[in-house]
Amino acid sequence: MAEIVEDFQALPDRERLQLLLEFSQGLRPLPAEFEGHLEKMERVDECQSPVFISVEVDGQDGDSPVHLHVSAPPEAPTTRGFAGVLQEGLEGLPAQVVLDLPGDVCHRLGLDQAVSPLRMRGMTGMLARVKRQVRVATAT
């Protein structure tokens, strides 16, 4: 995730938005168990678009790898882009590393000038849902 943040910070504002759109195209399709079954996922109410998240943790300790599944509509490319950033940046990280991520990581991407405050709120909401689901999955 730190590398992704560095990549964004190294670019001018306009190019940051382009990189975000590239991440939107890289969002992986949902696994079969969630396809057509969004009720099995958690909706991110802070997002204007219908965004759903499900986190899987391979175990119950802080070293267990995290896997993120996201449904975000193609007509919401900035929201979908941030979902792609989270998916790529968090995939396989240990649960404790995900929990230790700063809550302002979406602001560290330097997108505050490129996207609306409402979209930034949605991005922050996505990360909060991910962290909450990781906390629940690793609770003993």
Side-chain angles (χ1 to χ4, degrees):
M1 190 68 176
E3 289 178 26
I4 292 173
V5 170
E6 287 175 19
D7 289 346
F8 273 92
Q9 289 178 349
L11 297 172
D13 287 345
R14 187 156 181 79
E15 291 178 34
R16 288 178 187 164
L17 190 54
Q18 182 58 42
L19 182 57
L20 186 67
L21 295 177
E22 289 173 22
F23 273 99
S24 77
Q25 297 165 354
L27 189 66
R28 291 189 309 273
L30 289 175
E33 67 186 278
F34 296 120
E35 195 63 49
H37 297 285
L38 295 179
E39 73 278 1
K40 294 180 178 181
M41 303 176 80
E42 183 176 1
R43 181 166 181 151
V44 180
D45 294 326
E46 294 88 346
C47 291
Q48 288 179 296
S49 304
V51 175
F52 296 85
I53 289 180
S54 180
V55 176
E56 294 176 3
V57 182
D58 287 346
Q60 288 191 310
D61 62 31
D63 293 328
S64 301
V66 169
H67 309 286
L68 176 60
H69 308 292
V70 184
S71 171
E75 61 272 9
T78 55
T79 301
R80 192 174 168 83
F82 190 68
V85 166
L86 285 179
Q87 190 176 64
E88 185 172 322
L90 303 181
E91 180 61 34
L93 286 181
Q96 192 59 53
V97 171
V98 173
L99 292 174
D100 290 343
L101 276 173
D104 69 344
V105 73
C106 60
H107 294 282
R108 292 181 185 197
L109 296 173
L111 294 169
D112 296 75
Q113 303 303 317
V115 300
S116 71
L118 194 55
R119 296 216 187 278
M120 293 302 294
R121 184 173 159 256
M123 293 175 181
T124 302
M126 278 188 245
L127 179 59
R129 293 296 190 296
V130 167
K131 291 172 88 169
R132 188 194 63 71
Q133 288 187 29
V134 169
R135 262 191 305 282
V136 168
T138 57
T140 53

